[in-house]
Amino acid sequence: MPKIAFVNGSYQTINKPSIKIEDRGFQFADGVYEVIALTNGVLIDLNFHLDRLNRSLREINIEWPTAKEAFNAICAEVIRRNRLVHGSLYIQITRGVSARDFSYPKGLKPSLIIYGRHSQENQNLKKIECIKVITTQDIRWDRCDIKSISLLASVLSKAKAKNKLAQEAWFLNKDGFITEGASSNAWIVREPNIIQTHPTNSSILSGITRLRIIRLAEEQAIKVIEKPFSLSEAKKAKEAFLTSSTSFVQPIIDIDGTQISNGKIGLTTKKLLNSYLKFMG
Ligand code: PMP
């Protein structure tokens, strides 16, 4: 399979070094990103992702690097050149290139990178994997609503999870509430057909899958409570799951060593997963 990325105006093979050393994304993590799932050649919830990208850019005062039509055309061209059918598209926009200085000059040209990742198969046919999570202190900044490329806290937390043979780390804030996962939103099932997740504010990323699951839940009369839950509530939950663009709806069967849902996917999680897979097509 070809591996071709759009990098600041041209299409290049991804292993060719083409990022400037003084790109502010490289030196200061001064930029934002999106990951969009692709099924049967279609980008899932593209408009929601573009709205979020727009918001992230606005919050940190970076201009769009291209007009909307050109942007859509580049996404389509990356999909075409890579013959992407199932997988994901990664989009990164940084403030641009300038001599290394914390303060930035006005009028920088933002850098734009778009490339794709293949997945082996149609995601809908993927085997359901039930996972374990650990909890760890939320050491991130106060603007987790911005999809910043500064991901060090998540990188370190994922490593901690991996060391404990878990697949995700859930962040615990100072009050003992779970905010979200290192790369996903966190959910519990309080009772069959009653689900709970942290409300959207600056403590979490407003996940696109989270948003879609809220809509799909409401269509099936599953009640959604947007309220923080504590670690002890999570451990006592009937079921738990996470959502993200690349994991969809993933059942959780162990939190810090406490078994959840008898170690298997629960009925409410299954309902939501099935409706999400159906929505993706
Ligand atoms: N929270 C964090 C911290 C994330 O990194 C992600 C995935 N990038 C999510 C939530 C899930 O967001 P989405 O559903 O848009 O992939």
Side-chain angles (χ1 to χ4, degrees):
M1 288 286 188
K3 286 192 176 163
I4 297 171
F6 176 86
V7 184
N8 293 325
S10 65
Y11 294 90
Q12 308 177 1
T13 57
I14 67 166
N15 293 325
K16 194 173 141 201
S18 50
I19 306 295
K20 297 263 192 327
I21 288 172
E22 288 186 319
D23 189 298
R24 294 184 61 88
F26 183 53
Q27 296 194 337
F28 297 108
D30 187 357
V32 294
Y33 76 110
E34 281 295 326
V35 178
I36 312 177
L38 187 93
T39 301
N40 291 315
V42 176
L43 289 164
I44 305 301
D45 274 330
L46 174 63
N47 287 336
F48 284 162
H49 281 277
L50 294 184
D51 286 349
R52 185 172 67 185
L53 182 56
N54 196 37
R55 181 179 182 280
S56 294
L57 288 170
R58 203 179 56 225
E59 291 297 313
I60 62 169
N61 301 314
I62 295 182
E63 298 284 325
W64 269 92
T66 62
K68 192 160 190 276
E69 298 71 37
F71 185 85
N72 289 342
I74 296 165
C75 291
E77 186 63 10
V78 170
I79 292 170
R80 193 189 69 79
R81 288 192 187 221
N82 289 282
R83 288 186 241 123
L84 272 172
V85 181
H86 305 298
S88 57
L89 208 63
Y90 179 86
I91 300 163
Q92 178 175 299
I93 300 173
T94 73
R95 197 175 303 278
V97 181
S98 64
R100 190 178 186 283
D101 186 359
F102 280 84
S103 64
Y104 55 85
K106 272 197 177 142
L108 279 186
K109 187 172 159 26
S111 301
L112 170 65
I113 291 167
I114 303 180
Y115 76 105
R117 297 261 303 260
H118 290 272
S119 70
Q120 297 303 83
E121 58 190 12
N122 184 339
Q123 344 251 13
N124 289 1
L125 306 174
K126 214 163 74 170
K127 197 172 151 283
I128 300 167
E129 194 203 347
C130 296
I131 61 159
K132 298 181 177 188
V133 300
I134 58 145
T135 59
T136 185
Q137 203 192 334
D138 198 342
I139 55 166
R140 301 173 302 162
W141 69 333
D142 277 337
R143 291 305 308 274
C144 297
D145 55 314
I146 298 171
K147 200 161 166 58
S148 156
I149 57 172
S150 171
L151 293 169
L152 191 51
S154 291
V155 167
L156 298 178
S157 305
K158 285 271 191 187
K160 211 168 156 183
K162 199 172 172 188
N163 275 339
K164 294 188 176 164
L165 305 178
Q167 287 75 26
E168 176 62 307
W170 274 6
F171 288 126
L172 266 179
N173 68 14
K174 291 192 178 67
D175 301 320
F177 289 101
I178 285 154
T179 50
E180 62 179 334
S183 64
S184 59
N185 289 112
W187 299 77
I188 55 171
V189 178
R190 291 199 81 99
E191 295 295 336
N193 296 325
I194 303 179
I195 59 178
Q196 183 171 346
T197 193
H198 196 285
T200 49
N201 57 23
S202 60
S203 306
I204 69 160
L205 181 75
S206 175
I208 303 304
T209 324
R210 177 190 180 283
L211 186 62
R212 178 56 62 192
I213 283 299
I214 290 176
R215 294 191 176 191
L216 293 172
E218 282 163 356
E219 281 169 20
Q220 297 171 84
I222 295 176
K223 187 175 172 199
V224 181
I225 303 171
E226 293 183 74
K227 189 176 154 220
F229 56 85
S230 65
L231 175 57
S232 65
E233 285 176 296
K235 286 185 173 178
K236 281 186 239 142
K238 297 274 186 299
E239 303 170 32
F241 63 93
L242 60 79
T243 54
S244 82
S245 296
T246 47
S247 301
F248 320 140
V249 174
Q250 191 149 35
I252 290 167
I253 50 160
D254 190 295
I255 303 173
D256 280 346
T258 300
Q259 196 186 61
I260 310 291
S261 186
N262 295 321
K264 47 185 197 302
I265 185 169
L267 283 181
T268 304
T269 306
K270 201 168 197 171
K271 236 192 223 181
L272 290 166
L273 171 61
N274 286 339
S275 63
Y276 191 73
L277 294 177
K278 195 166 156 213
F279 159 75
M280 286 201 306

